[in-house]
Amino acid sequence: MQFKSRKDILLANKNNKQNFINLLGQRLVENGYQILNAAGDADTLIVSTALESSLENDVVIVGEDTDLLVLLCFHQLRSDYDVFFYTETSKNARTWSTKSLKRVLGDRSEVLPVLHAISGCDTTSRLYGIGKSNAFSRLTEPSFCMESLQKFNTVDLQQNDVISAGLEVIYLYGGVPLEGLDLLRLRLYTNKSITGNKMVQVKSLPPTSDAASFHVMRTYYQCQEWINLNTNSMDPLCWGWTLRDNKLMPITSSLPPAPENLLKIIHCNCKSNCDSRRCTCRKHGLSCSVGCGQCRGTTCTNSSIEESESSGSDDTVLQ
């Protein structure tokens, strides 16, 4: 039977997706293909299988996930054979030699996983205004914090050491050494307020040091998953995650979004769903809070609770 709806609608249901995988796997086996089912992260299984096969012959991986190319460059073996990454879009197709990429990148290939994770991947938030091209282009700068980024490859690093190294993220926002995220955040806010003619959006500022600390811990956890190819035994609940309704959810911050007296000043009394710029909280770039008259920060589309439940993809923004 031909499915006539959109693919993403069908696969959004986890049961549909698993049934489709089972059906496809069965048909492939019947036609003489070997298949492997990933119990955890499929990317790490793909990479480990490709590297094992590359000991005897060249291998081609067909995919469109950036994670695959990053992991292949990091784990590329010094063997006689190569692993090629083939990706195809509606406009063109391209093949990458990971052996050549590793040779060109040199030592910089060692920090690809952390730079990819800290700027946003499937399990970590992206930094507002910091795209992939911006983050990776900084690798060419001699003053970039390579030493701090390389610490994310270290096994069993202490939380304080991880956070200290990760907060070097200020360089991505044009910060200077020893300035710190909170001071940089204040400096940029002051500069935008003085020179701009529009209200400063909170999301356009660097994250607070508290929010960034949790983001950094999740980045380290993800890096260890990638580096150890899914054999990582770390507890995610110790690295920026919490359990909610039996699901892992990111801890966005341990502090309120603003001082209590300020939250009492900025609130809304929307009778609808707080989904337009007429909502005072949304207009100021804040989530609705318990101080709001109708929604109480729990029953509208501008609620921080709803935002946290939809997090965990590349489109999530760390504020």
Side-chain angles (χ1 to χ4, degrees):
M1 183 179 70
Q2 183 179 4
F3 183 70
K4 296 185 178 181
S5 185
R6 295 206 323 263
K7 178 179 71 174
D8 55 337
I9 294 178
L10 172 71
L11 299 182
N13 183 299
K14 64 179 182 180
N15 292 326
N16 287 342
K17 186 174 184 179
Q18 188 60 54
N19 288 335
F20 174 72
I21 291 172
N22 295 339
L23 177 64
L24 180 61
Q26 180 184 341
R27 294 291 185 269
L28 288 171
V29 171
E30 290 172 357
N31 285 273
Y33 292 94
Q34 180 184 2
I35 68 166
L36 295 173
N37 285 320
D41 188 354
D43 293 338
T44 55
L45 177 61
I46 293 170
V47 171
S48 60
T49 304
L51 293 174
E52 184 179 348
S53 299
S54 69
L55 295 174
E56 299 178 355
N57 48 257
D58 288 336
V59 178
V60 178
I61 289 182
V62 180
E64 53 188 33
D65 196 337
T66 309
D67 295 3
L68 290 173
L69 186 58
V70 167
L71 291 179
L72 287 170
C73 288
F74 178 83
H75 287 287
Q76 172 59 250
L77 302 173
R78 293 193 178 114
S79 67
D80 295 333
Y81 300 101
D82 200 351
V83 179
F84 296 93
F85 181 70
Y86 175 83
T87 183
E88 184 177 341
T89 64
S90 57
K91 295 182 179 179
N92 55 32
R94 190 167 186 178
T95 302
W96 304 80
S97 164
T98 56
K99 181 178 285 189
S100 299
L101 278 175
K102 181 132 185 160
R103 184 170 58 251
V104 171
L105 290 170
D107 292 341
R108 288 173 294 181
S109 65
E110 300 297 317
V111 299
L112 287 181
V114 57
L115 205 56
H116 179 46
I118 206 167
S119 58
C121 65
D122 291 344
T123 57
T124 58
S125 310
R126 68 180 176 91
L127 302 169
Y128 185 88
I130 305 295
K132 292 293 181 184
S133 58
N134 181 299
F136 283 99
S137 65
R138 303 299 293 272
L139 283 176
T140 60
E141 300 177 10
S143 59
F144 194 63
C145 45
M146 288 286 292
E147 185 177 345
S148 296
L149 293 177
Q150 286 173 339
K151 291 182 180 179
F152 281 75
N153 298 342
T154 306
V155 180
D156 296 331
L157 204 62
Q158 297 297 314
Q159 273 193 8
N160 290 339
D161 295 329
V162 170
I163 293 172
S164 177
L167 290 186
E168 295 289 340
V169 70
I170 60 171
Y171 287 104
L172 295 175
Y173 285 97
V176 297
L178 304 179
E179 182 176 30
L181 273 174
D182 294 330
L183 184 58
L184 172 64
R185 184 179 168 92
L186 174 61
R187 177 166 64 82
L188 292 180
Y189 175 80
T190 304
N191 182 61
K192 289 183 177 186
S193 298
I194 294 174
T195 59
N197 54 7
K198 294 182 179 180
M199 184 178 300
V200 179
Q201 292 294 310
V202 176
K203 64 182 180 182
S204 67
L205 300 173
T208 63
S209 57
D210 182 71
S213 296
F214 290 107
H215 178 66
V216 165
M217 285 192 284
R218 288 190 293 274
T219 297
Y220 178 72
Y221 179 83
Q222 182 58 60
C223 286
Q224 293 303 306
E225 287 278 306
W226 284 337
I227 292 169
N228 298 294
L229 293 179
N230 221 27
T231 60
N232 178 27
S233 60
M234 295 166 55
D235 182 1
L237 299 181
C238 297
W239 294 95
W241 295 94
T242 186
L243 273 178
R244 186 182 302 153
D245 295 331
N246 214 25
K247 296 179 182 178
L248 282 174
M249 303 296 294
I251 302 173
T252 55
S253 177
S254 63
L255 300 175
E260 186 178 354
N261 56 347
L262 181 60
L263 289 175
K264 290 180 178 179
I265 297 175
I266 301 178
H267 65 279
C268 72
N269 284 303
C270 301
K271 295 182 179 179
S272 57
N273 205 21
C274 303
D275 53 2
S276 71
R277 296 281 293 176
R278 286 181 293 179
C279 173
T280 307
C281 299
R282 187 181 287 275
K283 182 179 178 181
H284 285 81
L286 294 173
S287 299
C288 290
S289 68
V290 292
C292 295
Q294 300 291 328
C295 66
R296 299 294 181 185
T298 58
T299 60
C300 69
T301 58
N302 194 39
S303 167
S304 59
I305 295 177
E306 181 164 323
E307 288 175 2
S308 66
E309 289 178 350
S310 61
S311 64
S313 70
D314 273 351
D315 296 329
T316 308
V317 179
L318 179 68
Q319 299 182 9

